[in-house]
Structure formats: structure tokens, C-alpha cells
Amino acid sequence: MYKFNSPGARFSNRVLLTHARAGLPQQLDSRPRAAADQPATIYLYDEIGLWGITAKDFTQTLAAIGPGPVNLHINSPGGDVMDGLAIFAALQAHDGAVNVVIDGLAASAASFIALAGNTISMAPNAFLMIHNVFCVVLGNKADMTETAAVLTKIDGQLVSLYADKTGQKPEAITQMMDAETWFTAQEAKDAGFIDTILEASQNKVQPALKNGVYEHQPTSPANTLSVPDIAARRRMVRLAEAES
């Protein structure tokens, strides 16, 4: 049995998933939508996958926002490559412009999620990292050989994503992934991964309700729910139902 994982989990920066909002988990599906001409804001500030933000978590949030422009802020070490690809696809299918801002780190799976943006910006002191996927596998030599072949296919898909965005040749992208390449904002721009580098004043977070959408409220933790909080409360509800 094996699980594909695009690494980066050596970093742990669990913060809030998306719009921080007051209320109980049952209210997740009733989040306010952005006005048609005003962007909603989503914060992807965690690992990708089971130990952080799953594709299910993210797509539910995106669906609850409804159509219209979205500002997606990223600070993530990456994680599960399949969840990352599902998030990428959901952003590409979203009915509205997606403007990506890399606030701190877009590594591994988070780096190709960023490519779903119609525009991709980066804070001047942020980083972007690309590399090959890896996994943990138990089995005999046939299992190892089969897994290596699948990993090669996955790497090939990611090479195509990066090459399409940057305009670079697949061979050049492959070399960057083999070397686990870290880019500063200027290097990422020069390589074609992002479009612009933000001025410091352009990337300020407004800790308040804006345009009908709850944004990050770091000074009011009692009014927020992180993904781990929500998962724990869901487990408590299931246990209560089982006991009743």
C-alpha cells in the first residue's frame, strides 16, 4: 500500500484555511458570497492533504463563495500531490478570475496550485520551490518498479504544468525539479513562474469583514475555526450520534 506525497511536510505552518468566520461547523455551507464585481479572499495557509487542507475542504469553500473574482493567498509547504492537482483543477474551473498572491512560501504541491491563477504575484521576501514527487511504499521489487513508473508519470504531468506557464522547455524544468530548486521572488519572475512582485504596501491584510466576506482575523481567535478544529468537532458529533 502506498501513498503519493509531494514533500514539503518537513515544514509545518498550520494556520487558518480560508475565510475566518464565527460560528459552528454546521455553518460552513452558508458562508457569504462575494459580490459579483468584488473579489472574495481565500487563505491557503497550511499543508495540502490529510494533515492540512484537503481538496474536499478547499472545493467546498470555493463552491460556497460562488462565482466572481477570487484573491487566493498562499503560504504552504505543499503536501499531497493528488489533492494539489484537484485544487488546481477546481481553481481553473472557477467562474471568475483567480488572482494568486504568494505571501510566504509556495513549495512543492503549493507551487503548481499557484499556477492556476490568471495572475500570479509574490511578496518580495517570499519563496517558491519545485521538485520531484516522492512516496513511501512497502512491497517487493515488482511493487517498487511499478511505483517508480507511476512517479515518473506524475513528474511528467508537473513538468508540463510548469513548462506551460513559464514557456521554458520541459528538459529545463526537469533539471530544476531534479535539483529541488528554490526561487526568490525575483528568480521566480525571471524564470516565468510569476507575473509580478508586490510592493510591501500592496499585500496588507485587512482584518475585518469586507465586501461581505470574512477575511483573516488573527486578533480574534475565539471567532475563528481552523481546519483541525472543524475536523475535531465533526468527530465529536459523530461520537455523540453513535452513543445516542
Side-chain angles (χ1 to χ4, degrees):
M1 180 178 181
Y2 50 85
K3 175 187 175 182
F4 296 111
N5 185 49
S6 183
R10 53 194 161 179
F11 301 98
S12 182
N13 60 341
R14 300 177 187 276
V15 195
L16 298 179
L17 167 58
T18 53
H19 315 309
R21 63 173 276 112
L24 298 174
Q26 297 94 307
Q27 297 173 317
L28 270 174
D29 293 335
S30 62
R31 296 182 181 194
R33 299 185 180 188
D37 60 343
Q38 295 294 329
T41 301
I42 299 178
Y43 287 90
L44 183 56
Y45 270 34
D46 207 336
E47 296 168 20
I48 309 299
L50 181 62
W51 303 109
I53 299 162
T54 66
K56 181 179 180 181
D57 294 327
F58 189 90
T59 54
Q60 285 178 343
T61 297
L62 196 60
I65 288 170
V70 171
N71 292 333
L72 174 62
H73 289 257
I74 296 177
N75 182 37
S76 172
D80 188 273
V81 67
M82 298 306 179
D83 270 31
L85 288 171
I87 292 172
F88 174 86
L91 288 166
Q92 283 203 314
H94 178 68
D95 185 9
V98 176
N99 305 306
V100 171
V101 180
I102 300 171
D103 291 328
L105 175 64
S108 193
S111 68
F112 63 77
I113 288 174
L115 301 188
N118 298 100
T119 65
I120 308 171
S121 303
M122 200 165 171
N125 58 345
F127 285 90
L128 182 144
M129 182 272 277
I130 66 172
H131 61 177
N132 295 323
V133 296
F134 81 86
C135 72
V136 175
V137 58
L138 298 176
N140 58 32
K141 61 184 179 182
D143 298 316
M144 303 296 177
T145 302
E146 179 185 358
T147 302
V150 176
L151 290 176
T152 299
K153 287 186 177 182
I154 298 171
D155 284 338
Q157 295 279 39
L158 301 186
V159 167
S160 295
L161 290 178
Y162 294 131
D164 287 346
K165 166 59 184 173
T166 64
Q168 298 202 45
K169 293 182 178 180
E171 295 79 8
I173 297 295
T174 297
Q175 290 179 359
M176 295 176 191
M177 291 173 61
D178 286 345
E180 184 173 291
T181 304
W182 288 76
F183 298 89
T184 64
Q186 188 61 57
E187 289 169 343
K189 186 176 185 296
D190 292 343
F193 287 93
I194 67 169
D195 304 311
T196 58
I197 300 173
L198 296 176
E199 299 279 344
S201 60
Q202 291 178 277
N203 203 29
K204 291 183 179 179
V205 174
Q206 299 298 323
L209 186 66
K210 180 181 180 182
N211 300 323
V213 177
Y214 284 90
E215 296 189 306
H216 187 32
Q217 297 180 352
T219 58
S220 304
N223 294 332
T224 66
L225 285 174
S226 66
V227 171
D229 292 335
I230 293 169
R233 296 195 186 191
R234 284 174 178 165
R235 287 194 294 271
M236 291 172 63
V237 170
R238 285 198 293 269
L239 286 172
E241 289 174 346
E243 293 173 356
S244 60

